[in-house]
Amino acid sequence: AFQKTLTAIKNWFTLFGWSKGQNPVSIPYSLRRDVCKAQVASSQENGTKKSLGKHTKTIYDMLLHLSGQLLPGIALSQSLPLDPVERVLQLHCQHTTMLAFLRSQGASLSHVIPEFLFEPDDYKRWIKVQTIKKVVGDVGNSGVLSDNHLVILEDSAFETMSKQAWTDVLLQIYKVFVLSRVSPCNFADLFSLESVQNIPRIKLGPFSSNIYSSYERAILTWLNKHYETNRKTVWKDCQKGGVPPMKWILNFDQDLQDGLVLAAQLAAYCPYLITTHFIKMYTNPRTLAQFLHNCLILVNAMQAVNLVTGIKV
């Protein structure tokens, strides 16, 4: 599931996360590598500086494109010091600023600490610098322990944590700068049709759920509306179970796993897919093979209309 999420995020931000067209994203490698327009070369011995060029796109370019705001104190033409210690200190400051900015916009990132966004060598250097500072501080305080708590991870554990941290950052960027553009003002109109008036309502108030935001509940409302209005049309001639039963979609995993709900959404905008794809689905799937059958048909339908799914069949 995490890999599928990673692929979806990578595809979306590659296609839509930047101004002036596509820019390939790899999580976490390109994001943590391209943090500045100019970087220190990987070989520190020669003290040379590697220029990434003015056309290099960084996480700050992405944030400017999606939010319309520059991060406080960080310029788009930012460069890093040649000195390795100064480099990690500046990077830590920049990542701290970015996380604070995202949290101020409503992002849930309290579990992400700035050093998780480093490259592995910078992370090791940060740990070394902070360990020295802690020892010096403890000696200066006559044995009183420092409040600076370090999270020290092995290489493989750090890579896993870094990938998760960058994934969470991108998900929260999408939530606060993209999903927030969905307007909640006309959701009552979704249930104006007679065929959906008897479906229970999903409350959209900000405090009506401790799991989903009001925008996520708006998507659930949209899913319910299209499923109920389209299920009798899409599968009226289906030979593999007839018209599927009415159901209430309350989550984004279990209630979508049979493929029928998403097929109903796609049929609302691409009705020509009904006879070529969706009519072949099981409308009351009971086995894993039937669930897989439905999902493969859904993937094929998405690919038929050039929707990127990240899945090869």
Side-chain angles (χ1 to χ4, degrees):
F2 176 73
Q3 188 58 46
K4 291 180 180 179
T5 300
L6 201 66
T7 299
I9 297 169
K10 180 182 69 174
N11 290 341
W12 192 93
F13 279 95
T14 292
L15 294 170
F16 308 113
W18 315 90
S19 62
K20 300 180 181 178
Q22 303 179 19
N23 184 57
V25 170
S26 59
I27 304 170
Y29 309 109
S30 69
L31 293 168
R32 66 189 186 189
R33 180 189 67 230
D34 300 340
V35 288
C36 289
K37 299 294 186 183
Q39 293 185 299
V40 179
S42 57
S43 176
Q44 298 291 339
E45 291 81 4
N46 55 21
T48 59
K49 195 174 189 179
K50 181 178 72 173
S51 176
L52 296 180
K54 63 180 181 180
H55 299 299
T56 299
K57 295 183 179 181
T58 70
I59 186 69
Y60 312 120
D61 293 292
M62 176 193 292
L63 289 172
L64 176 62
H65 172 62
L66 296 176
S67 72
Q69 302 179 61
L70 286 171
L71 269 64
I74 300 179
L76 290 181
S77 58
Q78 197 82 12
S79 61
L80 291 173
L82 288 173
D83 181 78
V85 174
E86 292 181 2
R87 168 193 168 87
V88 296
L89 292 176
Q90 179 172 316
L91 272 177
H92 194 273
C93 180
Q94 290 179 196
H95 290 330
T96 299
T97 299
M98 179 180 69
L99 292 172
F101 169 74
L102 292 174
R103 286 194 291 267
S104 72
Q105 303 298 311
S108 302
L109 291 170
S110 59
H111 61 293
V112 176
I113 58 178
E115 50 265 39
F116 287 167
L117 305 179
F118 283 164
E119 289 199 274
D121 289 345
D122 287 329
Y123 172 72
K124 293 176 183 177
R125 189 171 293 113
W126 169 259
I127 293 298
K128 183 178 180 180
V129 169
Q130 296 305 306
T131 301
I132 294 174
K133 289 175 62 177
K134 183 177 186 302
V135 170
V136 172
D138 290 345
V139 172
N141 290 325
S142 302
V144 178
L145 290 177
S146 168
D147 290 331
N148 184 19
H149 300 289
L150 291 176
V151 180
I152 303 177
L153 302 174
E154 297 295 331
D155 290 352
S156 60
F158 171 76
E159 283 294 344
T160 300
M161 187 64 73
S162 182
K163 181 177 291 187
Q164 181 67 66
W166 276 109
T167 300
D168 292 344
V169 166
L170 291 183
L171 283 171
Q172 292 300 311
I173 288 175
Y174 183 84
K175 184 184 82 171
V176 300
F177 296 129
V178 181
L179 196 59
S180 61
R181 298 171 188 169
V182 179
S183 173
C185 59
N186 295 320
F187 290 138
D189 296 339
L190 291 175
F191 287 95
S192 61
L193 298 177
E194 181 179 354
S195 60
V196 295
Q197 287 180 352
N198 294 325
I199 295 180
R201 302 296 189 265
I202 295 176
K203 295 182 179 180
L204 301 175
F207 303 109
S208 61
S209 172
N210 62 350
I211 298 176
Y212 295 127
S213 68
S214 60
Y215 305 107
E216 291 164 325
R217 295 196 298 280
I219 294 176
L220 289 174
T221 300
W222 174 71
L223 292 173
N224 276 284
K225 183 258 184 181
H226 279 305
Y227 176 73
E228 182 54 30
T229 55
N230 291 328
R231 64 186 178 90
K232 294 180 181 179
T233 302
V234 176
W235 292 286
K236 64 179 179 179
D237 298 321
C238 181
Q239 301 300 314
K240 295 184 177 181
V243 175
M246 177 187 293
K247 67 176 180 179
W248 195 18
I249 297 99
L250 294 174
N251 54 65
F252 295 101
D253 45 20
Q254 185 175 354
D255 291 342
L256 303 185
Q257 65 183 355
D258 60 11
L260 297 173
V261 175
L262 293 178
Q265 318 308 309
L266 193 52
Y269 301 97
C270 306
Y272 51 85
L273 293 173
I274 295 175
T275 56
T276 59
H277 292 77
F278 301 142
I279 198 173
K280 303 173 186 177
M281 300 175 77
Y282 289 95
T283 55
N284 191 22
R286 297 183 181 276
T287 67
L288 291 177
Q290 291 175 345
F291 278 94
L292 178 60
H293 172 87
N294 281 2
C295 292
L296 289 176
I297 288 178
L298 180 62
V299 169
N300 285 330
M302 290 181 174
Q303 292 178 338
V305 293
N306 296 321
L307 285 178
V308 178
T309 64
I311 303 173
K312 301 295 184 182
V313 296

